[in-house]
Amino acid sequence: QNDGYDINSWMKYLTGESKALSRDNVYLYSKYPATDLLNVGLTILYSISDGSFGLVPTIEYSFEEDWYMEIFGGINLGTAGSLYSDELGNGLMFRVTRYF
């Protein structure tokens, strides 16, 4: 059990010396084509070392040829001091892309 992350752990992560803050991570991703133009997906991020997890729901929609809309959510469900702590908050990102 890890009670939190110290400044050294954060600095190693931010400088790229380590790829993740926790020692053991599980990443699961699933995407389902709901229609020809719509995909829905879910990513589950789980830190084995501190028991925290996060969810990233996604919606991808192609509303015209070469135009794509994506919506990503970020939901952290861990306890205080954990990698995916609920103290980090939740978020939403909206992106439109055109390829030419």
Side-chain angles (χ1 to χ4, degrees), residues 35-53:
T35 68
D36 287 342
L37 304 176
L38 178 69
N39 291 314
V40 293
L42 179 66
T43 302
I44 300 172
L45 312 164
Y46 179 66
S47 173
I48 296 171
S49 58
D50 66 16
S52 64
F53 67 100

Side-chain angles (χ1 to χ4, degrees), residues 8-84:
N8 290 330
S9 298
W10 279 103
M11 292 307 293
K12 286 179 181 179
Y13 175 69
L14 294 173
T15 60
E17 188 176 333
S18 66
K19 301 298 180 200
L21 283 175
S22 65
R23 292 176 300 232
D24 305 302
N25 291 293
V26 175
Y27 300 96
L28 300 172
Y29 175 70
S30 179
K31 182 162 64 168
Y32 177 75
T35 68
D36 287 342
L37 304 176
L38 178 69
N39 291 314
V40 293
L42 179 66
T43 302
I44 300 172
L45 312 164
Y46 179 66
S47 173
I48 296 171
S49 58
D50 66 16
S52 64
F53 67 100
L55 302 174
V56 182
T58 60
I59 298 173
E60 302 170 353
Y61 182 68
S62 175
F63 55 89
E64 193 173 306
E65 187 176 346
D66 297 328
W67 284 91
Y68 299 91
M69 177 185 72
E70 299 168 287
I71 300 172
F72 300 88
I75 304 165
N76 294 299
L77 300 168
T79 58
S82 63
L83 183 61
Y84 303 110

